[in-house]
């Protein structure tokens, strides 16, 4: 029988007087004949970032997809502000922003145009604000180049600009440091610190330390069931 992956999440997050935004209770997920995790539970308050770590293949991405509502678990429930995400799906979808492995940019559009299009699907933004955000992530010099000529690191920075402009309270980021240099990794740490300081919440799957302030940080170590 497969071992319980991620069971260390229950009770791992210290009690907090702040509002609990996201709760996972008794999550269980199988991939084929392998149980990725079972009895996985945690609570995440506002102003906190949950660092999900573990070896490749242990189920980090699968867990994030479950938390987004993209994959249904075999057992368990996810609650946003005390309500099952199945019962407040529209509100929850507006509350979180997802960064996965695929960018989904339109190759012939510029970075500036891709950012404007992507953000417009969620809300209206001022062009000056978008330009400022492109500068914040280090893309001002290439903002008018088509995305097909951008490097992998520049595309990752553009994805992060979309996260910044999403106005989402919950960020769910899957390996956001991929293809970034040390300066880019420091930029993500600063983004997370500011997001938490403003009452935001984040869940980040990453192999490396996040570099965020310890007062914001929570940990969930996923186990490899083999």
């Amino acid at each position: 029988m497969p071992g319980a992956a991620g069971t260390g999440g229950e009770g791992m997050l210290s009690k907090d007087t702040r509002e609990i935004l996201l709760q996972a209770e008794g999550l269980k997920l199988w991939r084929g004949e392998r149980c990725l995790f079972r009895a996985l539970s945690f609570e995440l308050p506002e102003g906190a970032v949950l660092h999900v770590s573990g070896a490749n293949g242990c189920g980090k991405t699968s867990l994030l997809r479950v938390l987004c509502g993209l994959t249904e678990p075999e057992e368990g429930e996810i609650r946003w502000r005390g309500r099952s995400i199945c019962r407040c799906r529209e509100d929850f979808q507006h509350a979180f922003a997802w960064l996965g492995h695929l960018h989904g940019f339109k190759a012939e559009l510029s970075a500036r145009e891709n950012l404007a299009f992507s953000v417009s699907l969620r809300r209206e933004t001022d062009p000056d604000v978008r330009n400022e955000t492109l500068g914040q992530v280090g893309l001002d010099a290439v903002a008018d180049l088509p995305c097909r000529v951008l490097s992998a690191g520049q595309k990752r920075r553009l994805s992060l600009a979309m996260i910044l402009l999403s106005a989402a309270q919950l960020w769910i980021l899957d390996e956001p440091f991929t293809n970034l240099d040390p300066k880019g990794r420091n930029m993500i740490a600063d983004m997370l610190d500011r997001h938490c300081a403003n009452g935001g919440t984040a869940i980040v799957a990453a192999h490396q330390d996040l570099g965020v302030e310890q007062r914001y940080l929570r940990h969930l170590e996923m186990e490899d069931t083999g």
Side-chain angles (χ1 to χ4, degrees):
M1 187 171 182
T7 53
E10 188 169 6
M12 210 168 200
L13 304 182
S14 58
K15 294 295 183 180
D16 202 299
T17 58
R18 293 169 293 177
E19 180 186 5
I20 298 299
L21 295 182
L22 189 73
Q23 294 170 289
E25 185 174 340
L27 297 181
K28 182 179 182 180
L29 184 70
W30 288 73
R31 180 188 291 155
E33 297 182 352
R34 179 186 174 200
C35 184
L36 292 179
F37 48 82
R38 62 163 65 88
L40 193 155
S41 302
F42 65 82
E43 293 182 342
L44 194 60
E46 59 185 353
V49 54
L50 178 65
H51 180 195
V52 181
S53 59
N56 287 335
C58 68
K60 297 188 300 295
T61 294
S62 296
L63 173 61
L64 265 56
R65 289 182 59 84
V66 168
L67 297 175
C68 285
L70 298 174
T71 299
E72 289 290 331
E74 274 72 31
E75 293 179 7
E77 184 178 55
I78 302 155
R79 292 189 290 274
W80 174 251
R81 294 184 179 274
R83 298 177 61 199
S84 169
I85 63 171
C86 296
R87 297 180 179 273
C88 62
R89 193 166 295 278
E90 185 173 348
D91 288 344
F92 182 58
Q93 287 175 343
H94 280 91
F96 80 85
W98 160 260
L99 186 150
H101 295 186
L102 300 178
H103 299 294
F105 301 136
K106 296 184 181 300
E108 298 306 316
L109 294 184
S110 68
R112 195 186 313 276
E113 291 167 334
N114 267 288
L115 182 62
F117 173 76
S118 175
V119 175
S120 71
L121 299 177
R122 294 186 66 108
R123 67 189 188 98
E124 294 183 4
T125 53
D126 186 274
D128 290 339
V129 174
R130 296 196 297 271
N131 292 338
E132 180 181 345
T133 305
L134 286 168
Q136 184 178 342
V137 299
L139 292 180
D140 42 351
V142 298
D144 293 311
L145 295 180
C147 272
R148 60 180 169 79
V149 304
L150 299 183
S151 69
Q154 288 168 334
K155 290 176 182 177
R156 175 62 61 171
R157 287 172 179 268
L158 183 55
S159 293
L160 292 167
M162 294 175 179
I163 295 292
L164 284 170
L165 286 178
S166 67
Q169 187 164 17
L170 172 64
W171 296 352
I172 302 180
L173 314 179
D174 193 4
E175 299 293 349
F177 300 102
T178 301
N179 298 317
L180 291 179
D181 57 15
K183 187 176 180 179
R185 294 193 288 272
N186 289 336
M187 178 188 70
I188 291 179
D190 290 341
M191 283 175 54
L192 290 167
D193 280 340
R194 290 195 301 271
H195 185 56
C196 289
N198 292 324
T201 298
I203 301 171
V204 184
H207 290 287
Q208 57 270 86
D209 291 339
L210 303 187
V212 303
E213 293 187 26
Q214 286 297 316
R215 60 187 171 133
Y216 300 136
L217 195 58
R218 307 289 189 275
H219 294 278
L220 176 58
E221 179 77 19
M222 302 289 289
E223 298 175 8
D224 187 354
T225 62

